[in-house]
Amino acid sequence: MNMAALLADVARRIPDNIAVLDGDREIRFSELFLSAKCMAGAMSNVYGVKPGDRVAIFLDNCSEFFEIIFAAWTIGACIVPINAKLHENEVFHILEDSGARICFTSFEKAATLHKLLENLDELEALIEIGGDAYAALYKASPATVQHARPEEPAWLFYTSGTTGKPKGAELSFRSLLFMTQCYYSDINLPVAGDTKLHAAPLSHGSGLYSLAHIFKGGCQRVLRGFTPSEIFAEIERHPNVTMFAAPTMITRLLNAPEAKKADLSNLQVLYFGGGPMYQSDLIRALELFGERLFHLFGQGESPMTISGFWPQHSDKNLRPEIGGRLTSCGIRRTGVDFRVVDEEGNEVTAGEIGEVITRSDCLMTGYWRNPEATKKAMPGGWLWTGDIGTYDDEGYLYLIDRSKDLIISGGTNIYPREIEDVLLTHPDISECSIVGRPHPVWGEEVVAFLVMKPDRICDTEALDQHIMSRIARFKRPKDYRILDNLPKNNYGKVVKTELRAILRKEED
């Protein structure tokens, strides 16, 4: 079970179809497979990469990403894609923790990484794309595709690390193939010539779902960044476009001036996940994109694949107390099981709140070189996601919050997401985030961090009334803080640990 063998099948069937389009560079399937085999030969014979060895990729979006991953898989190696925006200390941790044997990077990033080499015992080489060492890879004798057992590691997916150092979720060849088949079952069945648009990082969700398109002959259109005007232009230019977007990206598309006149007739699917999509933004997104939106819920430990659904098929009259089915993150994906359980692991009934756990062939094998964390996260073969949620009588899952973000005030659970949803319906607020602050009597109290819209002021009395007219009085924030921007990590998620640090610093 080797993903490179699936590329070989496509290259034999449609050798002249374009596999990757990156600026002016076109790579046909026959060229992609030949490059991968030659590069694999060099990795093995020149750099000593063996089956199971790790090959790191620290690059902005580029066509070389696809050459490298299939070259590594050809010889049974495991890829370690690294988000291109990470700090050098974070990159060092990932390279050290993964034990990567070689790392591919750019000229710009290499200057930073070279000084790390002497402290990385297992890293043999740093190869810069566009350099002589990279060009030499194409000239090596081609390797043959090695057999790989389904359980062998194929991709180390490093978590975002908002609460500590990132951990490497070990995704096997079985995990990636299951994820791909689930995409075909639940989202879309691409055909040769379809376009997969990559504006989000290839190191994460966008790159993971590229596999589903490559194996059906789709073209990977690589963009070097996210600009709404460019996205709309690319959708108009290419046939049958599919794209992954984080919720923050969709919000930027909605707010772009080009949105009003955008020709979206070529857009086939816009799937989103990786963070909360607030109801107000989702309603606007449905008005613009119509029946093209797919909402998925997954984690690095179960990539892209826990639950999902098409929001346009939801009934807003169901579950009106939480905004209708529109606020759901869907039903079980094909072949996936999830439950909502209490602290002892007992399944709760519909409407009750608990932690979401899941199991399927998509799950990670475990955290790389971290058996203690694996045991804690996957007792009994179930992944405890850390997400707090509930479900309805028809099996639709509703995420309420992250377990670590839960606020307990006076012995009562308060879920920040609920308050954030209400605040974002206020016309003066652009962004918000809710955290808990220690309180000597109540244990914790609610604090709201707000980003106001231009030329708007924070009227705390009006905000209190806005909240209390919609949810219980005890959930209202006891303090409102105004920021120019909310702190976010490289994936667009609000880093609440930084907000809590602001409050702790004031207490000290």
Side-chain angles (χ1 to χ4, degrees), residues 352-354 387-390 398-402 415-418:
E352 291 186 310
I353 293 172
D387 286 300
I388 300 299
T390 186
Y398 301 81
L399 295 185
I400 297 173
D401 232 307
R402 293 288 292 170
Y415 299 98
R417 174 70 186 273
E418 181 183 18

Side-chain angles (χ1 to χ4, degrees), residues 363-394:
L363 289 192
M364 67 173 181
T365 306
Y367 289 117
W368 181 255
R369 294 176 172 176
N370 198 337
E372 291 185 7
T374 300
K375 184 178 180 180
K376 183 178 179 181
M378 301 178 69
W382 288 83
L383 173 69
W384 287 60
T385 65
D387 286 300
I388 300 299
T390 186
Y391 64 98
D392 63 23
D393 292 333
E394 294 183 23

Side-chain angles (χ1 to χ4, degrees), residues 26-306:
E26 294 182 355
I27 307 175
R28 302 186 185 279
F29 277 100
S30 57
E31 297 168 337
L32 178 59
F33 184 50
L34 178 59
S35 295
K37 289 193 297 180
C38 292
M39 293 171 66
M43 286 184 190
S44 177
N45 298 323
V46 178
Y47 296 100
V49 177
K50 303 182 298 295
D53 283 351
R54 277 72 60 206
V55 174
I57 308 169
F58 183 46
L59 291 167
D60 292 298
N61 281 8
C62 59
S63 55
E64 288 83 359
F65 177 87
F66 297 102
E67 296 176 334
I68 296 165
I69 66 172
F70 284 106
W73 288 336
T74 294
I75 52 175
C78 174
I79 62 170
V80 188
I82 303 173
N83 189 300
K85 295 181 180 179
L86 292 186
H87 186 273
E88 64 182 78
N89 293 338
E90 297 169 299
V91 177
F92 176 83
H93 165 73
I94 292 173
L95 292 174
E96 181 181 47
D97 185 72
S98 67
R101 192 171 184 86
I102 57 176
C103 176
F104 290 89
T105 191
S106 62
F107 287 120
E108 296 78 13
K109 299 181 187 303
T112 299
L113 296 184
H114 273 298
K115 62 184 179 182
L116 305 178
L117 281 174
E118 61 184 30
N119 296 315
L120 292 166
D121 295 335
E122 296 180 81
L123 188 65
E124 296 291 337
L126 196 62
I127 303 174
E128 301 164 13
I129 63 169
D132 293 340
Y134 192 87
L137 301 177
Y138 295 125
K139 301 175 183 178
S141 298
T144 56
V145 177
Q146 298 294 307
H147 173 73
R149 295 192 304 274
E151 65 274 13
E152 290 178 348
W155 185 313
L156 289 189
F157 187 107
Y158 275 82
T159 59
S160 56
T162 56
T163 58
K165 288 186 176 181
K167 299 186 291 291
E170 182 184 329
L171 306 178
S172 66
F173 285 100
R174 175 187 281 116
S175 299
L176 297 183
L177 186 57
F178 182 93
M179 174 199 72
T180 300
Q181 296 288 359
C182 207
Y183 179 91
Y184 298 150
S185 296
D186 301 336
I187 302 178
N188 182 38
L189 187 61
V191 299
D194 283 0
T195 306
K196 178 71 166 65
L197 197 61
H198 295 287
L202 287 168
S203 56
H204 286 70
S206 197
L208 283 163
Y209 266 175
S210 72
L211 302 179
H213 288 258
I214 289 172
F215 300 150
K216 293 297 182 182
C219 173
Q220 310 306 298
R221 175 68 175 104
V222 179
L223 301 180
R224 300 305 175 103
F226 177 80
T227 304
S229 59
E230 183 181 20
I231 297 299
F232 287 122
E234 291 291 323
I235 291 172
E236 187 172 348
R237 185 176 299 125
H238 300 287
N240 297 333
V241 174
T242 296
M243 188 179 86
F244 169 75
T248 52
M249 295 167 67
I250 293 181
T251 301
R252 289 180 61 189
L253 290 173
L254 295 173
N255 294 333
E258 296 84 0
K260 295 180 180 180
K261 297 182 179 180
D263 179 359
L264 300 174
S265 56
N266 287 337
L267 181 62
Q268 197 170 57
V269 180
L270 177 59
Y271 58 95
F272 64 95
M277 183 72 168
Y278 293 104
Q279 181 184 351
S280 57
D281 288 335
L282 184 51
I283 291 172
R284 293 171 60 208
L286 285 169
E287 292 173 353
L288 178 62
F289 298 110
E291 297 189 357
R292 304 177 178 93
L293 288 172
F294 186 86
H295 183 187
L296 59 83
F297 165 51
Q299 295 185 334
E301 296 86 345
S302 181
M304 315 292 281
T305 313
I306 297 176

Side-chain angles (χ1 to χ4, degrees), residues 233-468:
E234 291 291 323
I235 291 172
E236 187 172 348
R237 185 176 299 125
H238 300 287
N240 297 333
V241 174
T242 296
M243 188 179 86
F244 169 75
T248 52
M249 295 167 67
I250 293 181
T251 301
R252 289 180 61 189
L253 290 173
L254 295 173
N255 294 333
E258 296 84 0
K260 295 180 180 180
K261 297 182 179 180
D263 179 359
L264 300 174
S265 56
N266 287 337
L267 181 62
Q268 197 170 57
V269 180
L270 177 59
Y271 58 95
F272 64 95
M277 183 72 168
Y278 293 104
Q279 181 184 351
S280 57
D281 288 335
L282 184 51
I283 291 172
R284 293 171 60 208
L286 285 169
E287 292 173 353
L288 178 62
F289 298 110
E291 297 189 357
R292 304 177 178 93
L293 288 172
F294 186 86
H295 183 187
L296 59 83
F297 165 51
Q299 295 185 334
E301 296 86 345
S302 181
M304 315 292 281
T305 313
I306 297 176
S307 69
F309 81 132
W310 300 91
Q312 60 269 25
H313 296 158
S314 66
D315 187 342
K316 296 179 184 178
N317 296 318
L318 294 173
R319 302 299 304 276
E321 72 278 11
I322 55 174
R325 280 265 167 83
L326 198 61
T327 61
S328 168
C329 58
I331 58 176
R332 293 171 174 84
R333 299 287 298 277
T334 300
V336 176
D337 195 7
F338 70 70
R339 297 177 182 174
V340 180
V341 301
D342 60 22
E343 292 181 356
E344 284 74 41
N346 302 309
E347 188 169 7
V348 303
T349 59
E352 291 186 310
I353 293 172
E355 182 168 347
V356 180
I357 65 174
T358 183
R359 68 177 177 184
S360 72
D361 278 350
C362 198
L363 289 192
M364 67 173 181
T365 306
Y367 289 117
W368 181 255
R369 294 176 172 176
N370 198 337
E372 291 185 7
T374 300
K375 184 178 180 180
K376 183 178 179 181
M378 301 178 69
W382 288 83
L383 173 69
W384 287 60
T385 65
D387 286 300
I388 300 299
T390 186
Y391 64 98
D392 63 23
D393 292 333
E394 294 183 23
Y396 281 80
L397 180 66
Y398 301 81
L399 295 185
I400 297 173
D401 232 307
R402 293 288 292 170
S403 58
K404 66 178 183 294
D405 294 330
L406 176 68
I407 300 169
I408 302 177
S409 182
T412 301
N413 291 347
I414 299 175
Y415 299 98
R417 174 70 186 273
E418 181 183 18
I419 308 170
E420 291 165 356
D421 276 333
V422 171
L423 282 171
L424 285 171
T425 63
H426 193 282
D428 294 342
I429 295 175
S430 175
E431 294 182 284
C432 72
S433 186
I434 299 293
V435 299
R437 178 173 59 189
H439 189 277
V441 176
W442 302 109
E444 287 184 291
E445 62 181 359
V446 177
V447 177
F449 286 87
L450 308 176
V451 177
M452 307 302 294
K453 290 182 178 178
D455 302 324
R456 304 294 176 91
I457 61 172
C458 177
D459 184 337
T460 57
E461 291 186 6
L463 292 178
D464 281 346
Q465 291 302 317
H466 181 79
I467 290 172
M468 290 187 293

